[in-house]
Amino acid sequence: MSDQPRIPARYQSDYLFLLVGTNPLPNYVAAELLLKQDGQLILVHSALTERVAERLTRYWTETKKRIQLNRICVAEADGADIRRQIDHALEKIKNGAIGLHYTGGTKIMSVHAYRTMLDFQARERKTVTLSYLDARSNSMYIEQGDDQPFVSDSVLYDVQPSIQTIVGLHVFKLVSPIITEPKLPELLTTLAEVHHSAEAGQAWRKWCEETLRQSTRTKKDSDWDKESLLERVMLPLPADKILRPVTDKMREVFGLNEDHLPLKEASQRANMDKAKHLCEWLDGKWLEHYVYQIIQQIKKDKPDTRLGVSAHPQSEQNGSGNIGAESDIWLGMGIHPKSEQNGPEYDYDIDIGVIQGYRLYAISCTTDADSGMCKLKLFEAYLRARNMAGDEAHVGLVCMTDRPEKLEHQIGGSWDAKGKVRVFGRQHLQSLS
């Protein structure tokens, strides 16, 4: 990547007005690229987007100590109020370059804010910079005075927030640390190879239902048993001949000489905190870890993809496996946001999150092959990604369907998400990278 900035310094402002919509990411990108050092941000929001403005304020207050912040609440459908409020803020500015970024907010807010700035420019004979971030091309469109409009190249990689930053901008914080290392990597490959066969996949699912769950679930089959009970379980290994490669690999990985898997010892050997976590892994989370392992390998082998690239390499993970909020990361599993007090409820997680520039890839994984269930999983992932990372988010589903292209076509067309959704099926497992 070139050392030259995509946005020339002459387009940066001392006072940058940001129209706040439901997606805060364009505001974050604009502030990073268009605000001068020690500049002031003026967040123009409505009652509907007040919480978004609060989250943006909190982020910049905590991370950018030298930025000054001000907020203006306007009636989103009242043009006169919008113009009056912005005019009042402009009157207080005596010196310095002024800019308006109007990607966010309602159309009425954009129109009247834009018009107010042009009127101010003509009245005060002060040049104003107007900018817009195009979500399709990731280019910044800039107008300044009577000059020809400037359209930048893609600025996607010029701003590189961590997963925690994106979560913090859209929700509150994470419920638990993000997982950054796949468990049982040797067994992952064997399971993926076996599941290339539908018959073998069904045999593994049968073992999970009739052996694993029967020994480890509560009577209502609604959850795993208490940890104290799980630690006593000796789980019979798969006996089906078609699962022989998996059984042999389990013996090797867990150091077994018998036909049973002691959950307590096996979970410790797998470096898992609880036997419950091993049960979850065997019951289907192994696919999530397998996909994550593939993505890690892509990042290593193909740096030009810029997956999980940090703008500050020194803050990358230290190898502990689980990263808390104090260590920013750009590639991880188990992203579970916590709802704000008195705010909207977010009772979900994203299986795998990958940051590419300021874009989030949200990848959902399921060992289900039913087309209806796979479609539901993809729909959930699409909504979660949009809630967490706005229009810029891309979504992937890795599942066991034999017709992934059909599902991808259906979803891409009906949701107007063509190019932002990918589905990978059983036939892709052995060449997933």
Side-chain angles (χ1 to χ4, degrees):
M1 185 169 63
S2 172
D3 292 334
Q4 295 297 319
R6 305 288 184 193
I7 310 298
R10 67 178 179 274
Y11 295 123
Q12 293 184 333
S13 301
D14 297 291
Y15 298 87
L16 182 61
F17 288 73
L18 299 175
L19 301 190
V20 179
T22 55
N23 178 13
L25 195 56
N27 296 129
Y28 169 83
V29 173
E32 292 288 316
L33 297 177
L34 299 173
L35 184 67
K36 291 184 179 180
Q37 190 173 11
D38 300 329
Q40 181 175 143
L41 291 172
I42 300 98
L43 306 183
V44 183
H45 63 88
S46 65
L48 181 64
T49 58
E50 184 174 10
R51 287 191 177 277
V52 180
E54 289 174 352
R55 287 196 293 272
L56 286 165
T57 300
R58 182 176 63 222
Y59 169 76
W60 281 313
T61 300
E62 293 175 354
T63 63
K64 307 284 187 178
K65 304 297 184 182
R66 300 173 70 174
I67 288 181
Q68 302 176 61
L69 284 154
N70 191 15
R71 298 214 307 258
I72 302 172
C73 186
V74 300
E76 63 185 65
D78 187 340
D81 181 69
I82 294 167
R83 293 172 70 95
R84 182 170 57 252
Q85 298 278 15
I86 294 177
D87 252 334
H88 182 64
L90 287 169
E91 288 173 0
K92 297 179 181 179
I93 300 173
K94 303 304 179 184
N95 296 294
I98 298 172
L100 167 69
H101 187 76
Y102 57 95
T103 305
T106 63
K107 291 181 179 178
I108 293 178
M109 287 172 64
S110 296
V111 168
H112 287 281
Y114 187 99
R115 189 69 251 173
T116 303
M117 287 290 173
L118 290 182
D119 289 346
F120 172 82
Q121 179 175 262
R123 183 176 68 246
E124 301 296 331
R125 299 186 181 277
K126 291 182 178 179
T127 301
V128 173
T129 302
L130 306 168
S131 60
Y132 177 86
L133 180 62
D134 181 56
R136 294 182 181 273
S137 65
N138 299 301
S139 299
M140 193 74 78
Y141 182 91
I142 300 176
E143 298 174 80
Q144 189 179 73
D146 295 326
D147 296 344
Q148 285 292 319
F150 170 82
V151 181
S152 75
D153 292 332
S154 171
V155 296
L156 177 64
Y157 301 108
D158 289 44
V159 181
Q160 299 166 320
S162 66
I163 291 176
Q164 292 98 323
T165 295
I166 285 186
V167 169
L169 291 175
H170 288 82
V171 284
F172 184 43
K173 62 180 180 180
L174 294 168
V175 170
S176 56
I178 297 173
I179 301 170
T180 60
E181 289 299 329
K183 303 294 185 182
L184 302 170
E186 305 93 338
L187 187 53
L188 288 175
T189 303
T190 304
L191 277 167
E193 290 173 349
V194 165
H195 275 76
H196 191 68
S197 159
E199 183 182 358
Q202 292 167 2
W204 179 259
R205 188 68 251 158
K206 182 179 180 181
W207 178 81
C208 289
E209 296 287 347
E210 298 180 2
T211 302
L212 172 63
R213 289 191 169 209
Q214 287 294 322
S215 304
T216 58
R217 302 284 279 193
T218 60
K219 291 182 179 179
K220 293 183 179 181
D221 196 33
S222 58
D223 203 356
W224 304 104
D225 270 330
K226 295 179 181 178
E227 189 66 18
S228 58
L229 298 177
L230 291 177
E231 289 179 348
R232 304 175 196 170
V233 172
M234 297 289 290
L235 195 65
L237 294 175
D240 195 311
K241 291 182 180 179
I242 201 169
L243 294 177
R244 181 66 180 271
V246 179
T247 304
D248 289 345
K249 183 58 70 172
M250 289 175 75
R251 292 180 188 279
E252 176 187 332
V253 169
F254 295 113
L256 305 177
N257 296 316
E258 301 178 356
D259 292 330
H260 289 78
L261 180 71
L263 284 184
K264 181 178 180 180
E265 290 80 0
S267 60
Q268 291 174 343
R269 190 161 184 136
N271 196 27
M272 296 182 184
D273 296 333
K274 297 180 179 180
K276 170 187 172 181
H277 296 159
L278 179 57
C279 294
E280 293 172 337
W281 191 97
L282 294 168
D283 196 45
K285 272 195 172 291
W286 66 267
L287 181 59
E288 179 181 325
H289 286 247
Y290 174 71
V291 174
Y292 182 74
Q293 180 175 256
I294 293 291
I295 295 172
Q296 280 189 319
Q297 194 62 43
I298 293 172
K299 178 185 176 183
K300 179 181 178 181
D301 295 343
K302 299 182 178 182
D304 58 311
T305 61
R306 301 180 186 177
L307 296 180
V309 174
S310 164
H312 308 285
Q314 69 274 14
S315 63
E316 290 268 19
Q317 62 155 329
N318 57 17
S320 62
N322 293 323
I323 303 297
E326 70 280 356
S327 301
D328 287 337
I329 59 172
W330 290 261
L331 181 68
M333 292 183 284
I335 303 164
H336 191 173
K338 181 178 181 179
S339 299
E340 292 190 65
Q341 188 175 3
N342 301 321
E345 292 296 322
Y346 292 95
D347 186 20
Y348 62 75
D349 61 6
I350 286 178
D351 292 342
I352 300 172
V354 183
I355 301 296
Q356 184 189 51
Y358 57 78
R359 177 190 296 147
L360 171 70
Y361 287 85
I363 302 174
S364 182
C365 303
T366 178
T367 55
D368 211 306
D370 178 73
S371 59
M373 186 58 67
C374 291
K375 189 172 183 178
L376 178 61
K377 287 283 289 185
L378 185 57
F379 178 67
E380 290 176 347
Y382 182 76
L383 290 181
R384 293 168 184 176
R386 292 289 294 269
N387 283 340
M388 192 175 289
D391 297 338
E392 292 78 9
H394 282 44
V395 180
L397 174 68
V398 181
C399 58
M400 296 299 166
T401 182
D402 292 320
R403 301 193 65 185
E405 67 288 340
K406 180 180 179 180
L407 180 57
E408 181 180 310
H409 179 73
Q410 287 177 339
I411 298 303
S414 60
W415 296 348
D416 191 26
K418 189 175 181 181
K420 292 187 176 182
V421 174
R422 288 294 305 275
V423 180
F424 305 91
R426 186 189 306 277
Q427 69 266 39
H428 295 125
L429 286 181
Q430 289 183 305
S431 57
L432 192 57
S433 64

